[in-house]
PDB file of all heavy atoms in Angstrom:
ATOM      1  N   LYS A 743      32.186  16.940  -9.447  1.00  0.00           N
ATOM      2  CA  LYS A 743      31.986  18.282  -9.992  1.00  0.00           C
ATOM      3  C   LYS A 743      31.777  18.242 -11.490  1.00  0.00           C
ATOM      4  O   LYS A 743      30.930  18.941 -12.045  1.00  0.00           O
ATOM      5  CB  LYS A 743      33.183  19.170  -9.631  1.00  0.00           C
ATOM      6  CG  LYS A 743      33.275  19.507  -8.138  1.00  0.00           C
ATOM      7  CD  LYS A 743      34.430  20.452  -7.871  1.00  0.00           C
ATOM      8  CE  LYS A 743      34.463  20.834  -6.396  1.00  0.00           C
ATOM      9  NZ  LYS A 743      35.610  21.748  -6.099  1.00  0.00           N
ATOM     10  N   GLY A 744      32.565  17.400 -12.170  1.00  0.00           N
ATOM     11  CA  GLY A 744      32.419  17.287 -13.605  1.00  0.00           C
ATOM     12  C   GLY A 744      31.087  16.707 -14.011  1.00  0.00           C
ATOM     13  O   GLY A 744      30.445  17.183 -14.947  1.00  0.00           O
ATOM     14  N   LEU A 745      30.631  15.662 -13.296  1.00  0.00           N
ATOM     15  CA  LEU A 745      29.344  15.062 -13.597  1.00  0.00           C
ATOM     16  C   LEU A 745      28.210  16.023 -13.321  1.00  0.00           C
ATOM     17  O   LEU A 745      27.235  16.108 -14.083  1.00  0.00           O
ATOM     18  CB  LEU A 745      29.151  13.779 -12.767  1.00  0.00           C
ATOM     19  CG  LEU A 745      27.838  13.023 -12.986  1.00  0.00           C
ATOM     20  CD1 LEU A 745      27.641  12.633 -14.439  1.00  0.00           C
ATOM     21  CD2 LEU A 745      27.772  11.782 -12.086  1.00  0.00           C
ATOM     22  N   ALA A 746      28.333  16.805 -12.233  1.00  0.00           N
ATOM     23  CA  ALA A 746      27.293  17.809 -11.918  1.00  0.00           C
ATOM     24  C   ALA A 746      27.217  18.860 -13.028  1.00  0.00           C
ATOM     25  O   ALA A 746      26.118  19.265 -13.432  1.00  0.00           O
ATOM     26  CB  ALA A 746      27.590  18.453 -10.580  1.00  0.00           C
ATOM     27  N   LEU A 747      28.352  19.301 -13.508  1.00  0.00           N
ATOM     28  CA  LEU A 747      28.361  20.287 -14.602  1.00  0.00           C
ATOM     29  C   LEU A 747      27.744  19.693 -15.861  1.00  0.00           C
ATOM     30  O   LEU A 747      27.023  20.380 -16.589  1.00  0.00           O
ATOM     31  CB  LEU A 747      29.794  20.766 -14.878  1.00  0.00           C
ATOM     32  CG  LEU A 747      30.399  21.732 -13.848  1.00  0.00           C
ATOM     33  CD1 LEU A 747      31.866  21.962 -14.158  1.00  0.00           C
ATOM     34  CD2 LEU A 747      29.640  23.066 -13.877  1.00  0.00           C
ATOM     35  N   ALA A 748      28.052  18.415 -16.140  1.00  0.00           N
ATOM     36  CA  ALA A 748      27.490  17.759 -17.315  1.00  0.00           C
ATOM     37  C   ALA A 748      25.974  17.725 -17.220  1.00  0.00           C
ATOM     38  O   ALA A 748      25.251  17.994 -18.198  1.00  0.00           O
ATOM     39  CB  ALA A 748      28.050  16.344 -17.443  1.00  0.00           C
ATOM     40  N   ARG A 749      25.464  17.410 -16.039  1.00  0.00           N
ATOM     41  CA  ARG A 749      24.018  17.359 -15.840  1.00  0.00           C
ATOM     42  C   ARG A 749      23.402  18.747 -15.956  1.00  0.00           C
ATOM     43  O   ARG A 749      22.321  18.896 -16.541  1.00  0.00           O
ATOM     44  CB  ARG A 749      23.705  16.783 -14.443  1.00  0.00           C
ATOM     45  CG  ARG A 749      22.231  16.722 -14.108  1.00  0.00           C
ATOM     46  CD  ARG A 749      21.469  15.857 -15.102  1.00  0.00           C
ATOM     47  NE  ARG A 749      20.094  15.624 -14.661  1.00  0.00           N
ATOM     48  CZ  ARG A 749      19.196  14.934 -15.335  1.00  0.00           C
ATOM     49  NH1 ARG A 749      19.538  14.398 -16.501  1.00  0.00           N
ATOM     50  NH2 ARG A 749      17.984  14.743 -14.880  1.00  0.00           N
ATOM     51  N   MET A 750      24.070  19.758 -15.424  1.00  0.00           N
ATOM     52  CA  MET A 750      23.571  21.133 -15.541  1.00  0.00           C
ATOM     53  C   MET A 750      23.449  21.533 -17.004  1.00  0.00           C
ATOM     54  O   MET A 750      22.440  22.099 -17.428  1.00  0.00           O
ATOM     55  CB  MET A 750      24.484  22.088 -14.788  1.00  0.00           C
ATOM     56  CG  MET A 750      24.434  21.957 -13.276  1.00  0.00           C
ATOM     57  SD  MET A 750      25.746  22.884 -12.425  1.00  0.00           S
ATOM     58  CE  MET A 750      25.213  24.577 -12.762  1.00  0.00           C
ATOM     59  N   MET A 751      24.487  21.204 -17.799  1.00  0.00           N
ATOM     60  CA  MET A 751      24.467  21.522 -19.213  1.00  0.00           C
ATOM     61  C   MET A 751      23.316  20.781 -19.891  1.00  0.00           C
ATOM     62  O   MET A 751      22.542  21.370 -20.669  1.00  0.00           O
ATOM     63  CB  MET A 751      25.790  21.090 -19.833  1.00  0.00           C
ATOM     64  CG  MET A 751      25.878  21.299 -21.329  1.00  0.00           C
ATOM     65  SD  MET A 751      25.819  23.044 -21.793  1.00  0.00           S
ATOM     66  CE  MET A 751      25.093  22.935 -23.411  1.00  0.00           C
ATOM     67  N   GLY A 752      23.187  19.502 -19.592  1.00  0.00           N
ATOM     68  CA  GLY A 752      22.121  18.722 -20.207  1.00  0.00           C
ATOM     69  C   GLY A 752      20.744  19.236 -19.836  1.00  0.00           C
ATOM     70  O   GLY A 752      19.849  19.320 -20.675  1.00  0.00           O
ATOM     71  N   HIS A 753      20.577  19.611 -18.562  1.00  0.00           N
ATOM     72  CA  HIS A 753      19.266  20.021 -18.079  1.00  0.00           C
ATOM     73  C   HIS A 753      18.800  21.315 -18.745  1.00  0.00           C
ATOM     74  O   HIS A 753      17.586  21.511 -18.957  1.00  0.00           O
ATOM     75  CB  HIS A 753      19.296  20.186 -16.559  1.00  0.00           C
ATOM     76  CG  HIS A 753      17.975  19.951 -15.929  1.00  0.00           C
ATOM     77  ND1 HIS A 753      17.460  18.696 -15.695  1.00  0.00           N
ATOM     78  CD2 HIS A 753      17.006  20.822 -15.499  1.00  0.00           C
ATOM     79  CE1 HIS A 753      16.259  18.808 -15.143  1.00  0.00           C
ATOM     80  NE2 HIS A 753      15.976  20.075 -15.020  1.00  0.00           N
ATOM     81  N   ILE A 754      19.727  22.182 -19.098  1.00  0.00           N
ATOM     82  CA  ILE A 754      19.357  23.391 -19.807  1.00  0.00           C
ATOM     83  C   ILE A 754      18.649  23.052 -21.108  1.00  0.00           C
ATOM     84  O   ILE A 754      17.662  23.681 -21.485  1.00  0.00           O
ATOM     85  CB  ILE A 754      20.617  24.254 -20.100  1.00  0.00           C
ATOM     86  CG1 ILE A 754      21.202  24.810 -18.782  1.00  0.00           C
ATOM     87  CG2 ILE A 754      20.265  25.418 -21.021  1.00  0.00           C
ATOM     88  CD1 ILE A 754      22.547  25.473 -18.966  1.00  0.00           C
ATOM     89  N   THR A 755      19.155  22.030 -21.796  1.00  0.00           N
ATOM     90  CA  THR A 755      18.575  21.668 -23.084  1.00  0.00           C
ATOM     91  C   THR A 755      17.233  20.964 -22.957  1.00  0.00           C
ATOM     92  O   THR A 755      16.511  20.839 -23.946  1.00  0.00           O
ATOM     93  CB  THR A 755      19.534  20.753 -23.869  1.00  0.00           C
ATOM     94  OG1 THR A 755      19.660  19.478 -23.215  1.00  0.00           O
ATOM     95  CG2 THR A 755      20.923  21.371 -23.982  1.00  0.00           C
ATOM     96  N   TYR A 756      16.896  20.478 -21.770  1.00  0.00           N
ATOM     97  CA  TYR A 756      15.641  19.759 -21.594  1.00  0.00           C
ATOM     98  C   TYR A 756      14.467  20.703 -21.439  1.00  0.00           C
ATOM     99  O   TYR A 756      13.308  20.301 -21.616  1.00  0.00           O
ATOM    100  CB  TYR A 756      15.684  18.857 -20.371  1.00  0.00           C
ATOM    101  CG  TYR A 756      16.808  17.832 -20.373  1.00  0.00           C
ATOM    102  CD1 TYR A 756      17.312  17.324 -19.184  1.00  0.00           C
ATOM    103  CD2 TYR A 756      17.367  17.388 -21.568  1.00  0.00           C
ATOM    104  CE1 TYR A 756      18.361  16.397 -19.184  1.00  0.00           C
ATOM    105  CE2 TYR A 756      18.410  16.470 -21.579  1.00  0.00           C
ATOM    106  CZ  TYR A 756      18.896  15.978 -20.373  1.00  0.00           C
ATOM    107  OH  TYR A 756      19.934  15.071 -20.372  1.00  0.00           O
ATOM    108  N   LEU A 757      14.721  21.953 -21.069  1.00  0.00           N
ATOM    109  CA  LEU A 757      13.663  22.926 -20.819  1.00  0.00           C
ATOM    110  C   LEU A 757      13.580  23.945 -21.945  1.00  0.00           C
ATOM    111  O   LEU A 757      14.576  24.220 -22.613  1.00  0.00           O
ATOM    112  CB  LEU A 757      13.912  23.663 -19.490  1.00  0.00           C
ATOM    113  CG  LEU A 757      14.086  22.781 -18.251  1.00  0.00           C
ATOM    114  CD1 LEU A 757      14.414  23.659 -17.039  1.00  0.00           C
ATOM    115  CD2 LEU A 757      12.847  21.957 -17.989  1.00  0.00           C
ATOM    116  N   SER A 758      12.414  24.509 -22.150  1.00  0.00           N
ATOM    117  CA  SER A 758      12.240  25.533 -23.171  1.00  0.00           C
ATOM    118  C   SER A 758      12.495  26.900 -22.583  1.00  0.00           C
ATOM    119  O   SER A 758      12.490  27.118 -21.357  1.00  0.00           O
ATOM    120  CB  SER A 758      10.818  25.479 -23.730  1.00  0.00           C
ATOM    121  OG  SER A 758       9.895  25.906 -22.726  1.00  0.00           O
ATOM    122  N   ASP A 759      12.735  27.859 -23.473  1.00  0.00           N
ATOM    123  CA  ASP A 759      12.930  29.253 -23.024  1.00  0.00           C
ATOM    124  C   ASP A 759      11.688  29.760 -22.305  1.00  0.00           C
ATOM    125  O   ASP A 759      11.775  30.432 -21.278  1.00  0.00           O
ATOM    126  CB  ASP A 759      13.245  30.135 -24.248  1.00  0.00           C
ATOM    127  CG  ASP A 759      13.340  31.604 -23.891  1.00  0.00           C
ATOM    128  OD1 ASP A 759      14.179  31.954 -23.045  1.00  0.00           O
ATOM    129  OD2 ASP A 759      12.548  32.403 -24.433  1.00  0.00           O
ATOM    130  N   GLU A 760      10.516  29.413 -22.836  1.00  0.00           N
ATOM    131  CA  GLU A 760       9.268  29.840 -22.237  1.00  0.00           C
ATOM    132  C   GLU A 760       9.113  29.291 -20.821  1.00  0.00           C
ATOM    133  O   GLU A 760       8.733  30.017 -19.893  1.00  0.00           O
ATOM    134  CB  GLU A 760       8.081  29.401 -23.086  1.00  0.00           C
ATOM    135  CG  GLU A 760       6.725  29.782 -22.516  1.00  0.00           C
ATOM    136  CD  GLU A 760       5.573  29.262 -23.368  1.00  0.00           C
ATOM    137  OE1 GLU A 760       5.811  28.789 -24.489  1.00  0.00           O
ATOM    138  OE2 GLU A 760       4.421  29.334 -22.869  1.00  0.00           O
ATOM    139  N   MET A 761       9.420  28.018 -20.642  1.00  0.00           N
ATOM    140  CA  MET A 761       9.298  27.391 -19.332  1.00  0.00           C
ATOM    141  C   MET A 761      10.269  28.008 -18.327  1.00  0.00           C
ATOM    142  O   MET A 761       9.918  28.297 -17.180  1.00  0.00           O
ATOM    143  CB  MET A 761       9.535  25.895 -19.448  1.00  0.00           C
ATOM    144  CG  MET A 761       9.456  25.131 -18.122  1.00  0.00           C
ATOM    145  SD  MET A 761       7.832  25.241 -17.341  1.00  0.00           S
ATOM    146  CE  MET A 761       6.874  24.203 -18.433  1.00  0.00           C
TER     147      MET A 761
END
Side-chain angles (χ1 to χ4, degrees):
K743 290 184 178 179
L745 180 58
L747 285 172
R749 178 60 171 179
M750 290 170 68
M751 177 65 209
H753 208 78
I754 293 171
T755 67
Y756 303 154
L757 305 177
S758 68
D759 175 59
E760 179 183 349
M761 179 62 72

